[in-house]
Amino acid sequence: ATTTEYLIDVPGDAADALLAHLKQHKLRRSKVTLKDRSDEFSIHAVYGTLNAEGAPPGYLAAMDPRHPSLGMRVLSVGPQAVSKDEGATKEETGRGDFAEDEAGNDRQSSSPSQPQTRPERELRQKTFETLMNNHFPPAPGTYRVLRTLSGIAEGSELATRTALECNLEFLNAISFSKGCYLGQELTARSQFTGVVRKRIVPVMVVGTEMEVLRPWVMASVIQEMGLEGGLDKILGDFGAGEDGEKGKTKLELGGYVPPPLPKISSAGAGGIVAIMMGSVPTTASSTTAESETSNPQGGENVEEDEEQDLEAKQRQEELQKVRLAGERLQKEIAELAEPGASIVDKHDGKTIGKIVAPPAPGTTVLLAQMRLDRLGLLGDKEKWSRTNRILIGDSTKEYRYLPYLPLWWPEIDPETGKEKVVEEEEDGEEELDDL
């Protein structure tokens, strides 16, 4: 008899719950076997390529089916993917084995007092790391950062929420034309007749004293003044060149309509975070070196070199201040933004969102289930403002939130909170009929 095996790639924090759920629906006399094989296999994410073909023996590879921005998923499953040189025991430590799980935490194996061989999962991780060293630099923890910056929730973060609130219809996770699953009736009804009022979005939290960056200023102007008035204001304020003339006109936009909020890629969001957190590299040392080599004998440029050195030192000091302020902000938000914590608008005291996932390491970007009307994405009564002030959880300190739309989001219909359906023009078909 032929045996067919399916492997389900699922976040570690949801594996036990999924296995228990599947067992509830397994018929007693069926020949289906369910098993958790997390300790036998390892899963990896690779960025910087869109080619998942030609995986070496022992590996299965495919682009992440949710979106290419999440990279390539690689499963180490075959015996060829385990190095025989990595099977040494840890008798010298007596502490057992440690392996990093998908959340980046260390897990200690049982019986720590006994010498043990490394678990197969750890051996696979080491083998894969060795295999990839010559092609991609290792970057532990990057997956969670990129996933958060991309605005994608997974695992336990999806619990208690509907599929549409989690944007699963945008991530190739739902079919509205086939299949039968728990919750299908509610999901289909929401898609075809209902209104989606809340969605998970990436939110950057900053201090109220920080200058709001241009993408959010432009979005706020368009929401406050409307598309026509907002574009006139933007093209007047931001489009003017040194000669005072507008750099762009509405005609040059070619029909492009700016979204109600900035639409930013994960890489773009990471760049913005790096600037705001002071993580950009300083050029002070290179400037100083250049000034020393440009005039080795001294002379007329000595004073100019001294001014350059002073400016470079001042830039370095300013960057250090920004970096320290960024570290303090990261620590504050990490302590406050626990899953389930409320986001309250200080203006009217109303809860406008709930934290879904804490900030990604090194950032203040978190995932939150937000009311679409308070983002300016649903209806026309509420607007998102760049001067907003919010409270997180039980804190009394005010912050500012800068939401943005991931690149994979389609245009949202302001009447339904769902993907906007563009009706196809039928003029051409009518003309053909007339002929």
Side-chain angles (χ1 to χ4, degrees):
T2 303
T3 300
T4 303
E5 183 177 80
Y6 297 93
L7 297 176
I8 302 177
D9 179 2
V10 62
D13 64 352
D16 291 340
L18 176 61
L19 182 60
H21 177 77
L22 292 175
K23 286 182 176 179
Q24 289 180 342
H25 298 275
K26 175 181 174 295
L27 297 179
R28 182 175 301 177
R29 296 185 179 181
S30 69
K31 297 182 180 180
V32 175
T33 302
L34 302 172
K35 184 180 179 181
D36 183 358
R37 305 187 67 180
S38 302
D39 292 333
E40 302 174 35
F41 302 147
S42 64
I43 304 172
H44 312 271
V46 179
Y47 303 94
T49 179
L50 293 177
N51 180 20
E53 298 180 0
Y59 293 94
L60 300 176
M63 296 307 299
D64 195 303
R66 293 168 292 183
H67 193 266
S69 64
L70 289 177
M72 176 174 62
R73 305 289 290 180
V74 180
L75 274 66
S76 173
V77 296
Q80 307 94 326
V82 181
S83 173
K84 297 180 180 179
D85 297 332
E86 298 288 349
T89 63
K90 290 188 177 178
E91 297 181 3
E92 69 279 3
T93 64
R95 295 179 55 200
D97 296 304
F98 285 83
E100 187 178 74
D101 60 20
E102 292 179 349
N105 302 316
D106 286 335
R107 302 187 309 165
Q108 186 175 8
S109 60
S110 58
S111 303
S113 61
Q114 299 295 327
Q116 301 174 9
T117 58
R118 294 182 181 179
E120 185 173 352
R121 183 166 183 251
E122 184 180 351
L123 297 180
R124 291 183 179 278
Q125 290 173 335
K126 293 292 185 181
T127 304
F128 183 79
E129 182 179 339
T130 303
L131 175 67
M132 299 300 290
N133 271 343
N134 296 329
H135 304 281
F136 295 89
T142 304
Y143 172 73
R144 182 186 165 193
V145 174
L146 290 180
R147 182 176 67 81
T148 303
L149 297 180
S150 298
I152 297 178
E154 67 177 19
S156 60
E157 299 165 359
L158 308 178
T160 73
R161 299 177 173 86
T162 68
L164 273 60
E165 289 176 344
C166 299
N167 310 313
L168 296 185
E169 77 274 34
F170 303 155
L171 295 170
N172 299 317
I174 301 175
S175 172
F176 294 105
S177 61
K178 62 181 180 180
C180 181
Y181 52 89
L182 291 178
Q184 182 182 24
E185 183 179 351
L186 175 60
T187 302
R189 189 189 312 126
S190 299
Q191 172 68 14
F192 296 114
T193 64
V195 175
V196 181
R197 303 187 183 279
K198 298 176 291 183
R199 284 189 181 273
I200 294 178
V201 298
V203 175
M204 188 179 301
V205 181
V206 299
T208 55
E209 74 284 351
M210 277 191 179
E211 181 180 357
V212 179
L213 299 181
R214 182 176 294 185
W216 284 276
V217 174
M218 296 171 66
S220 181
V221 169
I222 290 177
Q223 289 204 28
E224 291 171 2
M225 304 182 65
L227 184 59
E228 290 295 325
L231 285 177
D232 287 338
K233 175 71 173 176
I234 291 170
L235 295 175
D237 290 352
F238 300 119
E242 295 180 357
D243 55 359
E245 296 183 359
K246 292 182 179 180
K248 284 185 178 293
T249 65
K250 282 186 283 187
L251 187 61
E252 290 176 317
L253 292 177
Y256 170 73
V257 179
L261 291 173
K263 208 162 191 180
I264 306 175
S265 67
S266 57
I272 292 174
V273 169
I275 294 173
M276 297 182 68
M277 298 295 111
S279 300
V280 291
T282 177
T283 57
S285 57
S286 60
T287 304
T288 302
E290 289 176 2
S291 65
E292 291 176 353
T293 56
S294 62
N295 189 23
Q297 303 298 329
E300 299 179 356
N301 295 330
V302 172
E303 293 183 1
E304 181 179 347
D305 292 343
E306 290 178 351
E307 291 181 1
Q308 291 179 352
D309 291 344
L310 180 59
E311 292 177 358
K313 184 178 180 180
Q314 290 175 344
R315 286 196 300 270
Q316 193 172 17
E317 291 176 350
E318 288 297 323
L319 184 61
Q320 181 64 13
K321 290 180 181 179
V322 174
R323 186 179 295 113
L324 292 175
E327 291 175 355
R328 288 194 296 269
L329 180 63
Q330 290 177 36
K331 184 177 180 180
E332 290 177 8
I333 303 304
E335 293 176 352
L336 294 173
E338 297 180 351
S342 299
I343 300 176
V344 178
D345 193 326
K346 192 70 168 56
H347 174 69
D348 56 13
K350 293 184 178 180
T351 299
I352 61 175
K354 294 279 188 181
I355 305 295
V356 172
T363 79
T364 60
V365 178
L366 49 83
L367 297 182
Q369 186 178 30
M370 302 293 296
R371 285 176 47 179
L372 295 184
D373 59 335
R374 302 304 285 256
L375 302 181
L377 299 177
L378 183 66
D380 55 6
K381 293 183 179 180
E382 303 285 351
K383 307 293 181 184
W384 176 84
S385 173
R386 65 182 182 274
T387 59
N388 69 79
R389 291 173 180 266
I390 60 169
L391 301 175
I392 301 177
D394 298 328
S395 174
T396 57
K397 183 174 180 179
E398 299 178 0
Y399 298 94
R400 180 163 292 135
Y401 76 104
L402 306 178
Y404 62 91
L405 306 179
L407 285 186
W408 50 269
W409 270 44
E411 183 178 356
I412 300 299
D413 190 329
E415 295 183 359
T416 65
K418 293 174 284 192
E419 181 177 0
K420 188 173 184 179
V421 179
V422 180
E423 297 182 359
E424 297 181 0
E425 297 182 359
E426 299 181 357
D427 295 343
E429 296 182 2
E430 293 178 356
E431 292 179 0
L432 290 175
D433 293 339
D434 294 338
L435 293 176

